[in-house]
């Protein structure tokens, strides 16, 4: 089982004395408190990470300043190898239905619900109309969050060719984002450098100039508008053919939604159709933003030159939320209750992350490694209490993390 999606990348820019030019050295980076900042509040993350200190390793595959191979990392590498073997046994014993079929069926069911959603919007009565809004909102987030996330990790199929097709469909047509930037920012940066200061250390949607209540409860409504604007800005970093393909897919996705609202749902004016688009596309934007920040920010963070080994990096810097029927369906297990498992084995589907969860949690606890879990309400209260500390004064990001 590959431990990363693709080859691990290093920060762009020439290296000077082990540092990477272009990645600013933050004030206080040498402060041990920044190297392993325990999650504030009363969640289980405090107990699980207490007393763990990163060793002198400079990172996976790095060497000591004197040039000798780093031997301190071997026990950690052995732990990751042992866990991978345990997980591989589970994967090999699983059927195609468990590996891919369950998640493909959820996405297929979402497509089948689209006609019912658009037809419900034709009703002049409140209950059928609201049912249509709810249906289209859940379907939209299932395709754009769950579908795009699985496609970015090529977890929908074992075929690379079909994986590319599904990535273009879910990420560009449904989500209005370019595949190349989404996979680089999410798979290479966020997964390769989870909670590394200056790289994968924060959320795409971090807006420190907003106060806590605006950010947590009002700003998420703007996600459907901000997403294509961010995507358009990122098109400057891709080849013109990829940019043209993305523009065509973005336009087709928006126009199909708009056309169906006018000609199937019966909206009389363009503005009412656009308002309905905004309503359905922002229906689950609040939990999307919340989950985006709850599972990493506030957990231990590290500078690039003190990057711990992979198994410690992921067990320290990732948190699982409890299972939730709506979010499990719309976002997927790997983004909710199996986020630790997903970061350790990112190429597995949502259903497989759920299946290996008992193996991973038991193994980490047996080896006295962190296995962070907390409730949605507890994390929400934590961020409302310590918003300034966690979101305003936290180290700024220098790379866009991309989709969660």
């Amino acid at each position: 089982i590959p431990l990363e999606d693709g080859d691990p990348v290093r920060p762009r820019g020439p290296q000077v004395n082990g540092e990477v030019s272009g990645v600013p050295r933050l004030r206080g980076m040498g402060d041990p408190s920044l190297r392993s900042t325990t999650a504030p509040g009363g969640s289980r993350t405090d107990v699980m990470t207490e007393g763990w200190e990163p060793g002198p390793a400079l990172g996976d595959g790095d060497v000591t300043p004197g040039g000798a191979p780093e031997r301190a990392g071997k026990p950690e590498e052995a732990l990751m190898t042992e866990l991978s073997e345990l997980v591989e046994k589970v994967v090999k014993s699983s059927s195609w239905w468990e590996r891919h079929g369950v998640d493909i069926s959820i996405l297929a069911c979402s497509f089948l619900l689209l006609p019912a959603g658009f037809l419900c919007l034709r009703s002049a009565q409140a209950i059928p109309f609201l049912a249509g809004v709810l249906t289209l909102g859940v379907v939209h987030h299932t395709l754009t969050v769950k579908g795009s996330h699985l496609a970015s990790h090529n977890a929908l199929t074992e075929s690379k060719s079909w994986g590319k097709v599904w990535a273009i469909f879910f990420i560009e047509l449904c989500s209005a984002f370019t595949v190349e930037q989404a996979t680089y920012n999410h798979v290479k940066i966020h997964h390769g450098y989870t909670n590394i200061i200056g790289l994968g250390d924060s959320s795409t949607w971090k807006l420190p100039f907003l106060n806590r209540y605006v950010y947590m409860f009002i700003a998420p409504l703007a996600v459907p508008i901000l997403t294509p604007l961010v995507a358009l800005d990122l098109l400057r970093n891709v080849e013109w053919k990829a940019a043209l393909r993305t523009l065509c897919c973005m336009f087709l996705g928006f126009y199909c939604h708009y056309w169906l609202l006018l000609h199937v749902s019966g909206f009389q004016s363009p503005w009412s159709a656009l308002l309905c688009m905004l309503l359905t596309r922002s229906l689950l934007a609040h939990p999307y933003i919340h989950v985006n920040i709850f599972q990493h920010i506030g957990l231990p963070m590290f500078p690039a030159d003190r990057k711990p080994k992979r198994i410690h990096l992921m067990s320290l810097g990732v948190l699982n939320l409890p299972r939730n029927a709506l979010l499990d369906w719309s976002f997927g297990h790997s983004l909710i209750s199996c986020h630790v498992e997903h970061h350790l084995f990112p190429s597995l589907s949502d259903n497989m992350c759920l299946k290996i969860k008992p193996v991973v949690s038991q193994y980490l606890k047996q080896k006295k490694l962190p296995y962070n879990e907390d409730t949605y309400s507890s994390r929400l209260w934590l961020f409302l209490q310590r918003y300034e500390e966690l979101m305003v004064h936290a180290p700024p990001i220098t790379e866009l993390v991309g989709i969660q």
Side-chain angles (χ1 to χ4, degrees), residues 97-172:
W97 173 257
E98 292 174 306
R99 296 196 308 272
H100 302 292
V102 173
D103 294 296
I104 290 175
S105 298
I106 291 174
L107 294 171
C109 286
S110 297
F111 279 112
L112 294 176
L113 287 172
L114 281 174
F118 282 109
L119 290 174
C120 282
L121 294 180
R122 294 182 64 91
S123 176
Q125 299 180 355
I127 294 180
F129 183 85
L130 292 177
V133 171
L134 177 62
T135 300
L136 291 183
V138 172
V139 168
H140 171 76
H141 284 85
T142 304
L143 300 181
T144 59
V145 180
K146 179 184 176 71
S148 295
H149 188 232
L150 290 174
S152 70
H153 289 286
N154 198 33
L156 283 171
T157 175
E158 295 173 8
S159 167
K160 290 186 177 180
S161 299
W162 275 107
K164 178 67 174 178
V165 172
W166 290 125
I168 293 175
F169 177 80
F170 285 109
I171 298 175
E172 297 192 352

Side-chain angles (χ1 to χ4, degrees), residues 50-106:
E50 183 177 0
W52 189 91
E53 290 293 337
L58 301 178
D60 295 349
D62 288 330
V63 296
T64 58
E70 181 55 66
R71 300 182 184 275
K74 287 187 177 180
E76 288 81 359
E77 292 171 356
L79 290 174
M80 191 67 225
T81 301
E82 185 179 6
L83 178 58
S84 298
E85 291 173 352
L86 294 174
V87 170
E88 188 174 7
K89 290 180 182 178
V90 178
V91 174
K92 286 185 176 180
S93 65
S94 302
S95 64
W96 176 89
W97 173 257
E98 292 174 306
R99 296 196 308 272
H100 302 292
V102 173
D103 294 296
I104 290 175
S105 298
I106 291 174

Side-chain angles (χ1 to χ4, degrees), residues 86-397:
L86 294 174
V87 170
E88 188 174 7
K89 290 180 182 178
V90 178
V91 174
K92 286 185 176 180
S93 65
S94 302
S95 64
W96 176 89
W97 173 257
E98 292 174 306
R99 296 196 308 272
H100 302 292
V102 173
D103 294 296
I104 290 175
S105 298
I106 291 174
L107 294 171
C109 286
S110 297
F111 279 112
L112 294 176
L113 287 172
L114 281 174
F118 282 109
L119 290 174
C120 282
L121 294 180
R122 294 182 64 91
S123 176
Q125 299 180 355
I127 294 180
F129 183 85
L130 292 177
V133 171
L134 177 62
T135 300
L136 291 183
V138 172
V139 168
H140 171 76
H141 284 85
T142 304
L143 300 181
T144 59
V145 180
K146 179 184 176 71
S148 295
H149 188 232
L150 290 174
S152 70
H153 289 286
N154 198 33
L156 283 171
T157 175
E158 295 173 8
S159 167
K160 290 186 177 180
S161 299
W162 275 107
K164 178 67 174 178
V165 172
W166 290 125
I168 293 175
F169 177 80
F170 285 109
I171 298 175
E172 297 192 352
L173 186 69
C174 298
S175 305
F177 222 83
T178 177
V179 168
E180 287 77 9
Q181 284 296 306
T183 53
Y184 173 79
N185 291 319
H186 178 68
V187 178
K188 297 293 187 181
I189 299 300
H190 176 61
H191 273 267
Y193 298 91
T194 303
N195 279 25
I196 299 299
I197 297 172
L199 289 169
D201 61 7
S202 190
S203 163
T204 303
W205 308 109
K206 179 180 172 185
L207 302 170
F209 55 87
L210 298 178
N211 71 53
R212 67 196 68 199
Y213 298 105
V214 172
Y215 176 84
M216 300 294 285
F217 301 112
I218 299 177
L221 297 173
V223 168
I225 300 173
L226 294 176
T227 298
L229 295 179
V230 172
L232 289 173
D233 180 66
L234 289 176
L235 291 181
R236 299 177 302 172
N237 301 324
V238 301
E239 295 181 355
W240 69 269
K241 291 182 180 179
L244 181 61
R245 181 199 67 218
T246 301
L247 287 173
C248 291
C249 288
M250 290 173 62
F251 174 78
L252 182 61
F254 280 115
Y255 183 76
C256 286
H257 192 176
Y258 174 76
W259 188 91
L260 288 169
L261 289 174
L262 288 179
H263 295 86
V264 177
S265 300
F267 282 86
Q268 299 299 314
S269 70
W271 288 111
S272 61
L274 291 174
L275 183 61
C276 185
M277 285 179 64
L278 178 63
L279 180 61
T280 55
R281 289 171 177 248
S282 62
L283 185 70
L284 297 179
H286 288 83
Y288 172 77
I289 291 296
H290 295 168
V291 168
N292 196 268
I293 63 176
F294 288 173
Q295 293 176 316
H296 296 289
I297 298 177
L299 295 172
M301 303 172 70
F302 308 91
D305 61 349
R306 295 283 296 174
K307 178 175 178 278
K309 292 296 178 179
R310 176 179 177 79
I311 193 166
H312 280 125
L313 183 64
M314 300 309 175
S315 61
L316 280 166
V318 187
L319 177 141
N320 284 345
L321 295 169
R323 292 194 62 177
N324 178 286
L326 178 60
L327 299 185
D328 284 346
W329 177 278
S330 302
F331 295 173
H333 300 299
S334 61
L335 293 182
I336 306 299
S337 61
C338 304
H339 205 50
V340 174
E341 289 74 13
H342 169 64
H343 268 259
L344 286 168
F345 303 98
S347 63
L348 297 182
S349 65
D350 287 332
N351 187 64
M352 281 308 304
C353 285
L354 184 64
K355 189 173 181 180
I356 68 168
K357 182 182 176 72
V359 175
V360 173
S361 61
Q362 182 180 7
Y363 182 84
L364 293 180
K365 291 172 183 177
Q366 283 179 349
K367 300 300 181 181
K368 300 188 185 303
L369 292 171
Y371 187 78
N372 298 319
E373 295 177 297
D374 202 4
T375 64
Y376 191 104
S377 58
S378 174
R379 299 300 286 178
L380 180 62
W381 180 245
L382 171 68
F383 274 79
L384 289 176
Q385 282 185 312
R386 303 198 175 186
Y387 178 80
E388 294 285 329
E389 174 187 344
L390 298 177
M391 298 298 292
V392 177
H393 302 303
I397 59 174

